[in-house]
């Protein structure tokens, strides 16, 4: 089967550092028509979900992620991970679909950015790098209620270091509540702080999201190194 056609879109995000517009510009290669992707391969990765744009806007409120080890799970199109790379994080971007990770690698190269891209499933912890991450992120990864268990197991494992953060953005499907309940039962060391937003306006002429749910997961006392992310969440809440 032939590869689905790819097109470039240019996205801009507000950069809190006051730098010029190029610092917040992403030249993004996307699947022109996700319906061209074989249904057997799962088309979800080929769609740019609005929650990934909301997450990217949030990231640019941090001004920089320099030096932070960040893991993105279920990356799909990889927009969030590419933005982490733009903000100078040491980012590892993962998805279980090989075609997705190939396109993510192309996007890093297209934007002259560095990052590690791996094809792997977040439910198979033994396959992941052994060195712990400061932050684990996921956008629209709670599209099924059962995904909450795998995400909590991941956050509670040695992959997320003590003092680290997990950050989840997803549309209003109600599964953030499931994430919180699973965490309380199976991983009391994780503290989940959820926020619910309505009619969230997005940049880049993308309209709005009727509902956006976010969850900030703290593993013990947050490291001072991650204060910029806590501050960014406060800014994001205030702006919406």
């Amino acid at each position: 089967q032939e590869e689905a056609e790819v097109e470039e879109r240019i996205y801009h995000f507000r950069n809190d550092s006051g730098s010029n517009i190029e610092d917040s510009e992403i030249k993004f290669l996307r699947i022109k028509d996700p319906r061209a992707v074989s249904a057997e391969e799962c088309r979800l990765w080929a769609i740019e979900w609005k929650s990934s744009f909301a997450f990217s806007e949030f990231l640019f409120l941090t001004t920089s992620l320099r030096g932070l080890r960040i893991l993105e799970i279920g990356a799909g199109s990889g927009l969030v991970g590419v933005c982490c790379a733009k903000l100078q994080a040491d980012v590892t971007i993962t998805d279980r679909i090989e075609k997705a990770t190939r396109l993510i690698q192309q996007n890093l190269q297209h934007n002259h950015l560095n990052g590690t891209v791996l094809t792997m499933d977040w439910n198979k912890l033994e396959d992941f790098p052994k060195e712990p991450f400061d932050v684990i992120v996921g956008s629209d990864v709670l599209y099924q209620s059962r995904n909450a268990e795998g995400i909590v197991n991941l956050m509670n494992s040695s992959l997320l270091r003590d003092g680290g953060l997990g950050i989840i953005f997803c549309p209003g499907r109600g599964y953030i509540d499931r994430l919180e309940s699973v965490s309380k039962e199976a991983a009391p060391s994780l503290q989940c702080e959820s926020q619910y937003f309505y009619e969230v306006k997005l940049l880049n002429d993308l309209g709005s999201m009727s509902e956006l749910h976010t969850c900030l997961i703290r593993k013990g006392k947050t490291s001072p190194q991650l204060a910029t992310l806590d501050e960014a969440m406060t800014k994001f809440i205030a702006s919406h």
Side-chain angles (χ1 to χ4, degrees):
Q1 184 183 358
E2 294 183 2
E3 294 284 339
E5 184 180 357
V6 172
E7 65 178 1
E8 182 189 77
R9 290 283 180 90
I10 298 178
Y11 300 124
H12 293 109
F13 300 97
R14 297 188 186 96
N15 191 325
D16 226 34
S17 67
S19 302
N20 60 36
I21 192 68
E22 286 76 16
D23 288 343
S24 57
E25 178 182 272
I26 300 292
K27 296 177 180 178
F28 203 70
L29 301 176
R30 63 193 289 273
I31 300 297
K32 186 173 183 179
D33 181 4
R35 293 171 298 179
V37 176
S38 169
E40 289 74 22
E41 295 175 331
C42 178
R43 295 191 179 108
L44 296 179
W45 70 268
I47 300 170
E48 293 169 89
W49 301 99
K50 285 189 174 182
S51 54
S52 69
F53 287 96
F55 205 141
S56 298
E57 290 183 26
F58 156 73
L59 287 170
F60 274 97
L61 292 175
T62 66
T63 73
S64 176
L65 300 173
R66 183 189 296 273
L68 293 182
R69 278 180 50 79
I70 297 180
L71 170 67
E72 183 181 12
I73 59 171
S77 68
L79 178 63
V80 171
V82 171
C83 288
C84 287
K86 184 78 170 180
L87 290 160
Q88 301 179 302
D90 177 5
V91 64
T92 298
I93 310 172
T94 66
D95 195 276
R96 65 183 180 86
I97 304 295
E98 187 176 356
K99 285 188 176 181
T101 54
R102 285 208 301 265
L103 186 58
I104 293 167
Q105 186 64 61
Q106 289 176 40
N107 265 308
L108 286 173
Q109 295 169 350
H110 192 59
N111 287 275
H112 308 289
L113 299 172
N114 297 317
T116 300
V117 184
L118 301 172
T119 304
M120 52 182 50
D121 185 332
W122 74 65
N123 291 298
K124 298 178 179 178
L125 299 182
E126 66 276 8
D127 295 338
F128 279 80
K130 303 307 178 188
E131 186 178 351
F133 292 88
D134 300 303
V135 186
I136 297 177
V137 300
S139 174
D140 211 342
V141 290
L142 285 168
Y143 52 86
Q144 294 176 322
S145 176
R146 68 187 184 193
N147 287 0
E149 284 82 357
I151 292 170
V152 168
N153 288 339
L154 183 78
M155 301 287 184
N156 197 40
S157 76
S158 59
L159 274 176
L160 181 63
R161 72 176 177 85
D162 291 339
L165 293 175
I167 308 174
I168 304 294
F169 274 51
C170 61
R173 296 194 181 97
Y175 298 144
I176 284 287
D177 292 340
R178 176 65 180 157
L179 189 69
E180 287 186 295
S181 63
V182 170
S183 177
K184 287 178 181 178
E185 294 170 8
S189 65
L190 300 179
Q191 300 174 330
C192 299
E193 181 181 322
S194 300
Q195 297 285 343
Y196 300 85
F197 305 92
Y198 301 94
E199 295 303 326
V200 176
K201 294 182 180 179
L202 300 172
L203 302 176
N204 297 292
D205 298 321
L206 293 169
S208 63
M209 295 181 68
S210 58
E211 288 186 59
L212 171 67
H213 295 178
T214 70
C215 188
L216 183 63
I217 302 169
R218 296 181 174 90
K219 190 173 187 179
K221 184 177 180 181
T222 302
S223 164
Q225 184 186 15
L226 302 177
T228 182
L229 282 167
D230 263 331
E231 293 168 2
M233 183 60 81
T234 300
K235 293 177 184 177
F236 186 84
I237 292 169
S239 65
H240 290 85

